[in-house]
Amino acid sequence: MNKGCGTLILAAGKGTRMKSNLPKVLHLMLEEPLISYPISASHEAGLDDVCVLVGNEGKAVESYLKKNEDVTVAWQTEQKGTGHAVLCAESFWKEFDSVLVMPGDVPLISPETLREFKSQYDASGSVCSVLTFDVDDPTGYGRIVRCNDKVSIVEEKDASADIKKIREVNSGIYLFNTNELAIAIKSLTNDNAAGEYYLTDVLTILQDRGLKVSALKIGVPDEFNGVNNQLQLAQVTEIARKKIVEKLMLEKGLRCMDPGTVWIGPRVKIGNNVTIYPSVQLWGDTVVDDEVFIGSFSVLRSCYIQKCANLKGSVRMNNGSVGPRASAGPFAFMREGAVLLENAHIGRFVEIKNSVVGESSMVPHLSYVGDTTIGTHTNLGAGTITCNYDGVNKNKTVIGDHCLIGSSTMLVAPVTVGDWVSTGAGSVITQDVPSDALGIARAKQQNIENWAQLHRKDIKK
Ligand code: UD1
Ligand code: CA
């Protein structure tokens, strides 16, 4: 049954120049794998059915895709060229009227360009359109040769000196009528300098059969930048980073005195009137609500920061959640499952893991809080530690409302402290403390009079 337009992303190539064991399309741009970008561009352009062709290190790519993306996977076990690659995925694209083919290593491609390309293709009456762009240095690209009404693509390796001068090049992005593609692709040969089956030759085959092919120049050149090595990866990353930050500044009023040092991943959501100081990184599916302040050197991965929260700088947080008007830092580390409820505060040199700090409660200085629930309006004194690990198990600490935990209290879990409890500074609390009690557990102080005189050199004995 034929229906709509499918997308085929080619990602079976080697990526040798990345000099890495990691498959090229799994290298990260703004902490997201390269392959995720053409997939989301296709989805955002309204082309929902996507197939990714894998090959080299294909198992790793396939397992990433199965876990994270809604796509079909096809295999090309031996890399015999882009034409052969498209043929390997025929069982996917033959189900559609048309297919968009694009490389997996062009992460800057925009949904707007894909949408425009599709609509110009639809209007052109062509059975194939190739997306082209002009470039100052065309080295390495297939050149677009326009002759009368015909279009052909000549690869660098096969090009004459004159053709090498052409600056209009093939982006590697095409739309095909699948019925015609199915016929033409079977007559490809590998009779060229590279000994490969070139997809680009399909254009000539189609025109030789009297069918119309068009070359469409759409989009801005940066969009087609391919990633072949680590330097190009850093260059495209900078373009993507800048685009995201500038868009947030213009559309959401993001305040950023130094936008060049702010890093925000493509899935991060930012509300209105947010302020971000220099050298901040926000990754994954972090959500930042309105009026939040994020101080310098903060690094957040997949966190939820609610309205008017204040991250005072150097806050590191993974999968954490910060309630409205709550605050953290400077120098705070919130690990997996750390939750600050409304108006809570954690301060300098505090580490929180898998714990809830209740409404209006505070852990202001030098503490470790793990596997703990803290009620409301409770204050943990400087240096409070929850001793959650006994060498075998992680144990829980429960602290009630309105408590005053004395400085340097060790809470040896499992342990429960009721409401309105105080503990003596320096106590090692190994037993539960009932509500309203003072828990104190430390040696009673003795003062030995004149002890210094035994040691002082300035006193004659
Ligand atoms: C290709 C085009 C060239 C165009 C350029 C744009 C051909 C013959 N040439 O050249 O005109 O200017 O892209 O970047 O198509 N791939 C496979 N299996 C293979 C071979 C390639 O999946 O057997 C994939 C690669 O992973 C890559 C894409 O196809 O994503 C393009 O292949 P690549 O070898 O980079 O083609 P180029 O030589 O750059
Ligand atoms: Ca390439």
Side-chain angles (χ1 to χ4, degrees), residues 30-163:
L30 301 178
E31 293 210 351
E32 310 285 341
L34 287 177
I35 191 67
S36 68
Y37 289 90
I39 295 172
S40 14
S42 175
H43 287 159
E44 282 171 46
L47 304 174
D48 293 329
D49 295 292
V50 176
C51 173
V52 179
L53 183 83
V54 303
N56 266 290
E57 303 296 335
K59 285 250 153 60
V61 182
E62 183 177 38
S63 93
Y64 164 79
L65 292 169
K66 292 247 152 88
K67 252 183 250 148
N68 299 283
E69 304 279 0
D70 179 19
V71 297
T72 309
V73 172
W75 277 83
Q76 182 194 30
T77 43
E78 217 185 320
Q79 281 66 58
K80 298 183 189 170
T82 46
H84 177 253
V86 170
L87 183 59
C88 287
E90 185 177 12
S91 63
F92 165 77
W93 50 259
K94 69 171 201 246
E95 300 294 323
F96 299 90
D97 296 325
S98 54
V99 61
L100 171 73
V101 175
M102 62 175 158
D105 59 358
V106 286
L108 300 178
I109 187 72
S110 73
E112 295 75 32
T113 296
L114 293 180
R115 213 177 288 127
E116 179 61 21
F117 181 44
K118 176 71 168 59
S119 82
Q120 289 195 24
Y121 162 80
D122 287 340
S124 71
S126 307
V127 295
C128 166
S129 292
V130 55
L131 186 44
T132 74
F133 64 103
D134 289 329
V135 67
D136 291 338
D137 176 11
T139 311
Y141 288 104
R143 309 299 202 279
I144 301 294
V145 181
R146 293 174 184 263
C147 184
N148 302 324
D149 267 354
K150 299 255 169 84
V151 181
S152 59
I153 302 173
V154 180
E155 292 306 300
E156 172 98 22
K157 282 183 183 166
D158 306 300
S160 65
D162 274 350
I163 287 181

